[in-house]
Amino acid sequence: MSVIVVTGTDTEIGKTVFSAGLVQALNATYWKPVQSGQEEETDSQIVARLSGCPALPEGYLLQLPASPHLSAEAEGVEIDSTTLDLPDVEGLLVAEGAGGLMVPLNRQELYLDLIARWRAPVILCARTKLGTINHTLLSLKALRDAGCPVVGVAFIGNAQPEVEQTICQFGGVSHLGRLPVIDGLGRAASGGTGCAALAQAFGDTINLDLIREAL
């Protein structure tokens, strides 16, 4: 089994859509260890719908849209990270984190601690909006300080070539491409066989060769 971890510099930056594109492109299985908040769809349901590939059940499925430790406490439970070992699947597993790296799982551990324990290659998703240089470089430092192998940064949003180049230069990291915002990815617009618009955009903009080399 091969594993790649998708994490982000923050919440709501598009890493679930990126994960769906990656799962679809590499015919992988998706896993979300902790889902905090259930609105119209969970992240697992979104990825399965957009990719047409299987998604495993979440390790923890929590109702409150908040940090995992707060969501768990609201339900009277504590997230036990020892139950979140990477599941065995045939082929490639894409595991997506929640929020950013420094999000607490419980009162003792951060999500970064779990990712570091997995020792799997990591893709860092970053928005291209103002503030991304600071957020992304801090996230890269945190990953490296924890001993996590970083594949590169995947940008999401409108093109900002100078900003993207600055991050890769100072971060000493590969530029994996930039996925634009794609309209029409809502539930009504995409069937269970996958989303052609996402597949086309992902294939046109993301350097899959660099990602495959890390596996």
Side-chain angles (χ1 to χ4, degrees), residues 151-174:
V151 180
V153 175
F155 294 94
I156 300 171
N158 296 328
Q160 296 288 346
E162 293 183 358
V163 170
E164 296 166 37
Q165 189 273 335
T166 298
I167 288 170
C168 293
Q169 174 191 344
F170 278 92
V173 70
S174 295

Side-chain angles (χ1 to χ4, degrees), residues 99-153:
L101 292 164
M102 308 306 282
V103 170
L105 287 173
N106 49 49
R107 292 291 173 172
Q108 295 80 39
E109 298 169 290
L110 303 171
Y111 225 113
L112 177 60
D113 298 318
L114 180 62
I115 293 174
R117 196 180 81 215
W118 288 339
R119 303 187 68 81
V122 178
I123 293 174
L124 179 64
C125 292
R127 56 167 56 97
T128 57
K129 292 182 179 179
L130 185 65
T132 192
I133 293 176
N134 180 64
H135 296 162
T136 308
L137 293 180
L138 284 172
S139 296
L140 287 170
K141 177 173 172 52
L143 285 167
R144 287 178 171 142
D145 286 351
C148 301
V150 179
V151 180
V153 175

Side-chain angles (χ1 to χ4, degrees), residues 3 8 10 26 35 54 59 73 124 127 139 155 183:
V3 180
D10 201 351
L26 300 181
Q35 171 76 49
E73 288 173 0
L124 179 64
R127 56 167 56 97
S139 296
F155 294 94
D183 294 327

